[in-house]
Amino acid sequence: MTAQRQLCIGFSLSTTWMKGQGWREPDSDVEKMATIDFYIGLAKLAEKAKLDFLFRADYLYVSPQMIGKVASFGSPDPTLMFAAIARETKRIGLVTTVSTTFNPPYVVARQLQSLHWLSNGRTGWNIVTSIEGAENFGDSPMPSPQERYAKAREFTEVVRKLWMSFPHESLRVDRESGVFVDMKQVKAIDHSGEFFSVKGPLTVPGHQAGSIPLFQAGASDTGRNFASSQADAIFAAMPDLESGVKLRKDLRRRAQEQGRSGDDIRVLPGLYFFLGNTREEAYELYKATHAHMSFEYRNAALITVLGLDLSGFASEDRVTADMLPDPNLPVRSRTHAELLRHFIAKNEPTVEEVLCRPEVLGSAHWVSIGTVADVLADIIKHFEAGAIDGFIALPGGSEGSMLLFFEQLMPQLVELGLFRSEYTGTTLREHLGIHKN
């Protein structure tokens, strides 16, 4: 009998439930965000629910949208945060984010392997090429997406070579012979490529858990090629079911074309959910979260996402394909631009509908609003349709929404056999079902 397919579920350590003006409420406990104990508490909640991993994004620049009137203490280094969390947890995976555009691969390989040891084999690496921040690392302009992904491919190759340069099998620890490390197995990598020249070997040995799982979020054509060739899991932009089904099929096809199995990759969109005890309560949470976003604010966001200015139109006017700007126009995120172009070309939505799209309001996440039963049904629908292998939980609206996820929604997924009731392994590779190598 074939084992029932189960969801892979991660939890974002970004305080998504404090978006909008919710942090201003007297009971928001927003001040706790400044302490590591706050994030350790969230980690323990997620581990109690047997989730696969924790995730933390990273930003190497400051924009007006990130600080000021939003609940944010900026962007602390997620790898350092996870080093502290590793000490307070035992099983849950720790997926940190590191850019391949602005860091040297030797340092990154060393930091990640060190975290792998600190966490006893629970580290994951979310590979990002960054879309902004060049001014913080010199005078050169931001590289093109094609150059960033070419650099990311070589960067990842170098990091993997470094991880293999000091293999776990070289650790002999033989008291009788006096040999601690078999130096014949520790070798330089002597890498010389277009972007990097690295001799090696790494200063940190491999962990017995195996190599560190790779995560990636690119959904442009270049990004999909990179993700399908390298990643074990893909953080997908998926604003609707149709785009999700197409994306997962495409990624699995590309993986197979590159000699991998379609099952080697797991498609995991962000699920931005607003949970309430009633549908009315959930929709009020959603409305309150986005109430501060005026027409002008959302239109400015649309201009950065798509290069389209709707300031001269009424909210009920239709947006048609012939209004779309040149697809080669520089935009903040090619992924979000392509998703929005497809939506407009297919649906001819109103101005108001365009300005309410996830690509404009946030990060093109899958949004689900309602009771626990409503969001549960939405998850099952996406899973059975073949749009997802799991998701990253992004609680919205309130801390109560997050608690409903842990206290009611997760137990129901377990009861339906769609998620584990107990951990069966101790490493992230085991949680993800990746064979050790």
Side-chain angles (χ1 to χ4, degrees), residues 37-353:
D37 290 340
F38 174 77
Y39 297 97
I40 288 171
L42 293 176
K44 289 183 174 180
L45 269 178
E47 187 169 60
K48 183 179 179 182
K50 319 302 177 189
L51 297 195
D52 292 282
F53 60 88
L54 301 164
F55 164 69
R56 176 83 180 185
D58 193 25
Y59 302 92
L60 299 174
Y61 64 96
V62 173
S63 72
Q65 291 77 28
M66 291 171 60
I67 57 174
K69 294 186 177 181
V70 298
S72 170
F73 285 92
S75 184
D77 189 321
T79 306
L80 292 179
M81 291 180 67
F82 280 129
I85 291 170
R87 185 68 181 84
E88 301 294 329
T89 53
K90 300 296 182 185
R91 297 285 191 93
I92 196 164
L94 311 172
V95 181
T96 188
T97 299
V98 186
S99 173
T100 58
T101 301
F102 303 122
N103 291 295
Y106 193 93
V107 172
V108 172
R110 185 169 179 255
Q111 288 175 337
L112 292 172
Q113 195 70 280
S114 298
L115 182 60
H116 211 34
W117 275 94
L118 289 173
S119 65
N120 201 22
R122 293 185 284 135
T123 299
W125 174 24
N126 176 37
I127 303 168
V128 297
T129 63
S130 301
I131 57 175
E132 294 187 57
E135 66 278 8
N136 294 324
F137 297 90
D139 297 326
S140 300
M142 197 71 197
S144 68
Q146 292 74 22
E147 181 180 340
R148 295 202 308 271
Y149 274 108
K151 189 174 184 180
R153 188 177 293 276
E154 184 180 339
F155 190 109
T156 305
E157 178 189 351
V158 172
V159 168
R160 282 177 150 165
K161 285 180 178 179
L162 287 168
W163 286 341
M164 293 186 290
S165 69
F166 192 165
H168 182 78
E169 292 74 19
S170 69
L171 299 175
R172 293 279 299 278
V173 196
D174 189 332
R175 287 180 172 85
E176 185 174 336
S177 67
V179 176
F180 195 91
V181 174
D182 179 3
M183 289 304 298
K184 293 180 180 178
Q185 297 188 55
V186 182
K187 301 177 181 179
I189 66 171
D190 292 320
H191 177 90
S192 180
E194 180 181 357
F195 299 99
F196 305 106
S197 180
V198 181
K199 181 176 179 59
L202 196 61
T203 59
V204 186
H207 191 273
Q208 63 182 0
S211 62
I212 295 170
L214 305 182
F215 294 68
Q216 218 278 320
S220 64
D221 188 65
T222 305
R224 291 186 191 193
N225 282 333
F226 177 72
S228 59
S229 68
Q230 304 287 335
D232 299 297
I234 297 168
F235 294 152
M238 191 178 296
D240 54 60
L241 179 62
E242 180 187 5
S243 66
V245 171
K246 288 182 177 179
L247 175 62
R248 184 169 177 269
K249 283 182 178 178
D250 183 60
L251 288 167
R252 290 171 66 87
R253 175 186 60 79
R254 291 178 193 237
Q256 291 167 349
E257 289 175 352
Q258 299 184 73
R260 307 178 73 196
S261 165
D263 293 333
D264 286 344
I265 57 174
R266 297 139 192 87
V267 178
L268 310 174
L271 171 53
Y272 190 26
F273 57 82
F274 293 77
L275 284 169
N277 291 311
T278 65
R279 290 176 182 171
E280 291 74 20
E281 179 185 328
Y283 275 93
E284 282 302 314
L285 288 175
Y286 180 79
K287 286 173 60 178
T289 298
H290 299 99
H292 67 292
M293 294 183 176
S294 64
F295 180 97
E296 291 74 20
Y297 179 98
R298 289 181 289 157
N299 188 60
L302 177 65
I303 292 171
T304 66
V305 171
L306 190 59
L308 179 62
D309 184 355
L310 296 178
S311 57
F313 295 86
S315 59
E316 67 274 11
D317 288 344
R318 292 284 169 182
V319 182
T320 57
D322 62 302
M323 297 168 60
L324 291 170
D326 183 346
N328 296 313
L329 191 73
V331 292
R332 185 173 183 273
S333 169
R334 186 68 56 192
T335 296
H336 298 167
E338 290 176 2
L339 287 167
L340 201 49
R341 292 180 71 89
H342 174 76
F343 173 76
I344 291 171
K346 180 181 178 183
N347 298 286
E348 295 194 354
T350 64
V351 167
E352 181 64 21
E353 287 170 337

Side-chain angles (χ1 to χ4, degrees), residues 375-396:
V375 176
L376 177 66
D378 200 19
I379 292 169
I380 294 171
K381 181 180 179 181
H382 279 69
F383 193 43
E384 292 181 345
I388 63 171
D389 293 292
F391 57 87
I392 313 299
L394 304 167

Side-chain angles (χ1 to χ4, degrees), residues 395-420:
S398 70
E399 184 175 334
S401 178
M402 176 184 68
L403 294 177
L404 283 172
F405 170 77
F406 282 123
E407 295 172 1
Q408 295 187 30
L409 196 150
M410 284 306 305
Q412 291 191 38
L413 285 173
V414 172
E415 187 177 335
L416 291 170
L418 294 174
F419 197 70
R420 69 171 70 86

